[in-house]
């Protein structure tokens, strides 16, 4: 693939459009339909979607598949392309679970070609799909390489020259259900784990390693396979990875700054060292000339286009020395616990609950913490 | 009862001691045992306990009863008094549910008589128990009056002269299980509701009304009975109410400033207007000369002796205009959701997860919000 | 509407086809697609669907909407009719929650006109939709009448002459979410309850009353409105009612014996007096010449085409004198508990887990019990 | 230890007393208190307790610890022995989780010496405690041997001569919480798994292997360690194993027939080949001359003294060919699902919900099934 093919000559530039939309339930895409109907957005310009749906975020969370089917059906009607083809072209990365104050919503990323005007350089987006990842590859180095290749392809597509210009990588990786594990076993394959929840964790770890390899944070060394879910010093500080039953390949969305794009959108990402790292949230905002005191005021809040957070229940069982109970809870999944807590914190700083807060931050940001990324209008 | 009987002559004063202790599980009172064993605390000086245990906070949360049994057993061994008698003298108000980052812990309140030294005036504590509240009185004006009387009795016992000097009222009120509802019905009584969760809400509402009556925030008007769980403008801004199956009377703990006490402990309480009201947390801290920027620093954090928060999933289904999903969730109780979210926010500001965060803030602070109370050492 | 219009002249008869199909997840309709593709079933002959999906069965169970969208999309492709039109013609009644051993599946009901051959008289099916039921009518007599009218219309459509020939009525009724309750309130309407779970119960109660009115088990007396969820002696012994956010009208499916139909399918329905009433299951089987000793043998099991069960956690808190804990559980919804238990019992007798077991049996069969209905091939 | 020391000379015999008692909550031992108060039972004769409490049955189920504390406190008051000593002498094996119709209850086993009268030979009980099992031994062969030794010791204490006379072995084994895993790791030890739920499974597997070794069903071969949770053909058909955070040693209760005892109690145990194996329940009953048709009648039901069931969500994801959803559910633990389903089935056959139904049947009975054991009065 030739990356230049994505880009116009000097007189034309790309522009990123970001729409943060609400949904009344996981089958509701009426807010997007209204934009399309009004002509504010062309269905063919949509290149990626990241959203939060109100499921449990676990293996049996079908709100992701439901929303995806609804979204692709809508885009199919407006583009005239079959939904199946769209699903292979437009990554739709959903994280289930709107615990606590979090609000179900989705962020539409669109790119539009237009005449060059004003200064060059703006937030850019690129996407890519890997080949299908078979059950036996989930959580293994084969998945790491599939993810790294997808990230690199998305960078090229976005026209992002250097890994350092990448601000945020969002991946969605397939996992192994007990049914898939059965099937693989019958076919003589060994899955890394047949435990569905554990499989989702391995899928996220391998995705994070893949992003880190592509961004130069980790070497492409298969010997590191054993470090997954064991050595948490190995990590990416700009990768957010989800996993779910509804995808069979790695889907990548890469956001970063590129001289081939124009517009006022910028992005920043900062690590969170633990679940209480309110200063980490401030760091991401500060890089975009936003200051919470202690909360963004109304004018600043309107500049925020989207927020993405990864977090993790500290696996050592303590936060700042005090015991937490997330990991020993048979009633509520640990990821649901942490999403609710960190979501409450970030929402308090932003004054907004429309946050993509995703659990399962293994190897994504500091161990026991995670990261926070913000897209804002530079004004 | 004559309140002067609680207090010594002018040469003696009372002092409040506050210990915030961790627990490894709801049957673990070893941290208190260590204090008693070391002589740092006399079992007979303990007058009240407020804590968070790691149950679900609902009707079938038995961690509260388990901890109470363990605590009373320990105090019985050290005081020589029977556990049953202690349970009728030392209110132990527990809120179940350590969602998200919250850490199971308990706060021991003790009072000690000592020679007057230095300036008079400090944080004081008083306690009281109402008569048993029968199932048919739960959520009715009879419970309101029982609660108000208990608050007034506790004020007298604390030597708090004016309602305005009260900083915080913690109540625990009995509720109706389906078994109790059956029994009442067989006895020809009508309970306000036989739904256990609804009954807990009514019990909290009546407790809040009772505190408001005692503090002069509401009149003692039985006509207001119908306003419970319906007119949320009627409220107390200094009351925190729990309810549970393990008590059969209203238990009251009143904290406030009194000239008859000495020491450096002070308390402040501020309303939270909604679940994102990070400024409300700052208000409570500011009143104690504490400033989070954005988090308390280490020196300030050590001055904090205990924190109490009430919160509530906004019953209108939105937080700052964005839909939340707490009230329509069949998997996780709405109170668990909101505790996790607000707990995450307050923990981020305090830099500490040992917070008493209790759901069910009906009529306790602003509708859809709640309140936050802090005890700190004045230094 | 003229019922005769549904039926052919004497040389033609109707035949009911029943297919019980599995699904791999709530978006999977591949088993039906295979039947349509193979020409074993004509999409235009499908008149109703009853199924169980693997959600939580509560207000936030979106597996029902997801499956419905998938099903209607498939039928739309094969019939050429728009999905929206199909959804208004083909009732798809889903119950969420496959607790315990229950298996996600769906039962397709199709009717086919064919030359009269052999004896007349067989199991018949008819369907109907009421007008939309506004939020303020849910759980009120207006909903009862809407349900009764829908049942009568479906009987006519099925060619079932007498109410006594009706074997089973399946209804799906709309309920009130907190969002709908808000909207109704803003419009000056009072909903019977704003509590989502309670609203679902009222919706089921009103549906059951409606069926009972249509079947002559109860009079059409608005004075009985107050008996809903209070006098459980008033009931239908042949009605099964679900409720959910995904419908806005009462959808009715009526099954019974009609002389205008032919074929070997027969149906029987028996009340279950409580959750342990294994004899009740035997009664339904016996009416179809099936005998479990203690389980149906293989030959008998293949004769069973579909099974429908309604059940209920006994609201008095006891089963045969022993306390149960279903109603006081904050972790697991009571309906999930009872579906799992009764599903386990009926599956053990049938030797099959593909059972439609639905909770919320208020006024459907005996109080604290429910009913069991079986469709079998007469051989 | 000399087993004969437990037994009297020929003129005296032992008699087993079994009391099945209800509890209103996990801290309620009033039914036992009433028996002790009335003199119907001597506290010193109590040798073991098996019960079901209404927790979640997982790592954070504290209803077991709460009940144990309450029980031991009561026995301490009546025996004059310290609760701690009693806890080391009287195994109290509790399974949390009364899903569906199951009723919280406990079975008291007492032995009483009395003059020989009538025929010799009756159901006997023996108990034993292993040394503490450190975290790193959980799920390893060291735990298998600890369990086997405890079973043999209990057999000797019961006077059961041959393994074939053993009817039922109940074990409770310690597991690893995340806190314990942390501690072990700090001490340089490697736990078999740090995942709490997985650790409970390994603890049960090792307990089952231990019982099988003691009963001659498996050889004492450390090479079999890797077969735990992997080769499910290796099993005991008479062992029931629970695990929990509240014990640190293997506790064993062995029930079987012995010529040194007298009385009319007999016991039978039968495997269940899967969760629908209603015939397996019949087999256990038949061995005791009980016949369900389809349910035990009143006279027969009164002969039943206690029932113990082990069950397991089939790890292959299917029951009799149809998919189940227990293993992929993030909302409800798989063990809770299966207990509810199998509990419903067995309760329907027995006509009684006071059943000890315990999940986690790894290597206890057939894979995907489990076993059912019944104590009855021979009449």
């Amino acid at each position: 693939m030739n990356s230049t093919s994505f880009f116009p000559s000097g007189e034309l530039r790309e522009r990123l459009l970001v729409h943060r939309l609400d949904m009344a339930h996981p089958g509701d895409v009426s807010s997007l339909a209204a934009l399309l109907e009004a002509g504010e957005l062309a269905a063919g310009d949509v290149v990626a979607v990241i959203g939060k749906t109100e499921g449990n975020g676990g293996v049996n969370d079908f709100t992701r598949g439901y929303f995806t089917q609804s979204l692709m059906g809508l885009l199919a009607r407006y583009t005239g392309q079959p939904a199946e083809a769209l699903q292979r072209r437009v990554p739709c990365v959903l994280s289930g679970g709107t615990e606590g104050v979090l609000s179900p919503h989705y962020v539409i990323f669109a790119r539009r070609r237009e005449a060059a005007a004003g200064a060059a350089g703006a937030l850019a987006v690129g996407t890519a799909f890997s080949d299908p990842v078979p059950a036996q590859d989930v959580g293994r180095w084969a998945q790491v390489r599939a993810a790294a290749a997808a990230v690199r392809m998305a960078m090229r597509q976005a026209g992002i020259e250097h890994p350092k210009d990448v601000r945020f990588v969002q991946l969605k990786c397939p996992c192994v259900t007990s049914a898939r594990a059965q099937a693989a076993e019958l076919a003589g394959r060994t899955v890394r784990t047949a435990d569905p929840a554990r499989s989702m964790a391995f899928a996220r770890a391998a995705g994070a390693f893949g992003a880190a390899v592509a961004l130069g944070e980790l070497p492409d060394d298969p010997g590191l396979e054993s470090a997954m879910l064991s050595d948490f010093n190995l990590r990416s500080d700009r990768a957010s990875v989800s996993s779910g039953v509804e995808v069979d390949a790695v889907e990548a969305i890469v956001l970063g700054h590129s001289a081939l794009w124009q517009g006022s959108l910028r992005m920043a990402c900062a690590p969170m060292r633990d679940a209480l790292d309110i200063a980490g949230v401030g760091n991401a905002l500060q890089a975009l000339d936003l200051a919470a005191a202690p909360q963004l005021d109304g004018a600043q809040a309107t500049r925020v286009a989207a927020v993405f957070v990864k977090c993790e229940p500290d696996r050592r069982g303590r936060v700042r020395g005090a015991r937490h109970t997330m990991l020993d809870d048979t009633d509520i999944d640990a990821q649901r616990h942490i999403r609710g807590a960190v979501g409450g914190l970030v929402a308090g700083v932003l004054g907004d609950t429309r946050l993509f807060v995703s659990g399962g931050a293994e190897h994504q940001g500091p161990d026991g913490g995670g990261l926070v990324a913000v897209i804002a209008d530079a004004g």
Side-chain angles (χ1 to χ4, degrees), chain A:
Chain A
M1 187 188 306
N2 188 333
S3 68
T4 63
S5 63
F6 292 112
F7 290 95
S9 64
E11 297 97 61
L12 294 175
R13 294 212 194 98
E14 296 282 318
R15 176 187 290 272
L16 171 62
L17 306 170
V18 171
H19 293 275
R20 182 160 53 168
L21 304 174
D22 63 350
M23 63 176 100
H25 58 77
D28 172 33
V29 288
S30 59
S31 291
L32 176 57
L35 284 183
L36 297 175
E37 199 55 42
E40 291 185 43
L41 187 67
D45 289 345
V46 174
V47 296
V49 180
I50 301 179
K52 274 216 79 70
T53 54
E54 56 201 285
N56 62 28
V59 173
N60 67 325
D61 182 348
F62 303 104
T63 61
R64 299 177 300 223
Y66 185 18
F67 179 81
T68 302
Q69 178 171 289
S70 303
L71 176 84
M72 297 301 170
L74 177 66
L75 292 178
R77 281 199 293 284
Y78 276 86
T79 60
Q81 297 171 30
E84 293 69 27
L86 285 166
Q87 207 153 343
R88 290 285 163 199
R89 184 176 68 76
V90 180
C92 178
V93 180
L94 302 170
S95 161
T98 52
E99 294 78 13
V101 296
L102 294 174
S103 187
H105 73 286
Y106 54 111
V107 178
I108 299 281
F109 296 90
R111 56 191 289 176
R112 182 191 290 169
R113 189 159 298 182
E114 58 186 20
L123 188 59
V125 68
T127 61
F129 287 73
S130 78
D131 290 331
V133 176
Q136 63 271 19
D137 284 356
V138 169
R140 297 220 167 90
W141 206 256
Q143 188 198 330
V144 172
R145 284 189 172 147
V151 171
R152 286 195 196 100
M153 200 186 311
M155 281 176 62
R156 280 196 302 275
Q157 203 215 42
I160 300 172
E161 214 167 330
H162 298 294
K164 71 172 173 51
D165 294 329
V166 170
R167 286 292 169 274
F168 189 65
V169 172
Q170 176 64 54
L171 299 178
K172 182 92 182 208
C173 300
C175 66
V176 179
T177 58
S178 36
R180 282 184 187 173
Q182 293 294 321
E185 229 170 273
L186 286 175
R189 308 296 192 166
T190 311
V191 296
R192 180 129 189 195
T193 174
D195 179 61
R198 186 88 178 144
S199 156
M200 293 177 82
F202 268 116
R204 289 187 297 260
F209 272 47
V213 165
L215 299 184
E217 296 167 297
L218 281 182
D220 182 356
D221 173 5
L224 295 179
E225 186 174 298
S226 63
M228 281 190 239
L229 301 187
S230 103
D231 180 353
F232 291 94
N233 291 319
L234 305 183
R235 72 191 210 220
S236 170
D237 271 355
R238 287 172 281 166
S240 160
V241 189
S242 292
S243 67
V245 296
E246 66 278 19
V247 296
D248 60 6
V250 175
E251 307 186 2
I253 304 170
V254 171
L255 291 153
H257 295 148
S258 164
L260 303 172
W261 294 58
Q262 65 186 11
S264 56
L265 291 178
R266 303 288 181 273
M267 189 168 196
C269 184
M272 289 181 73
R273 68 180 179 93
D274 64 14
L276 307 190
D277 190 10
I278 192 172
V281 184
N283 291 341
L285 293 174
Q286 195 174 19
L288 298 165
D289 290 320
L290 293 165
Q295 194 171 75
L296 292 189
D297 61 30
Q300 293 184 101
T302 59
R303 284 181 46 209
V304 175
V307 181
F308 309 93
V309 179
K310 285 298 285 193
C311 54
E312 181 72 4
D314 196 294
R315 66 201 162 74
R316 290 150 299 195
R318 294 186 172 263
V319 175
R320 306 245 173 134
R323 182 170 72 97
H324 69 75
T325 61
M326 297 183 266
L327 297 171
D328 285 340
D329 192 343
T330 302
D331 298 317
I332 299 181
D333 186 64
Q335 305 295 347
R336 306 203 71 176
H337 273 295
I338 194 66
R339 281 193 298 261
V342 175
L345 173 62
V346 179
V349 176
L350 273 288
D352 198 319
T353 62
R354 297 169 303 160
L355 311 171
F356 178 87
V357 178
S358 171
E362 304 90 347
H363 307 288
Q364 303 150 62
D367 189 16
L371 43 82
V372 54
V374 179
I375 300 178
D377 196 299

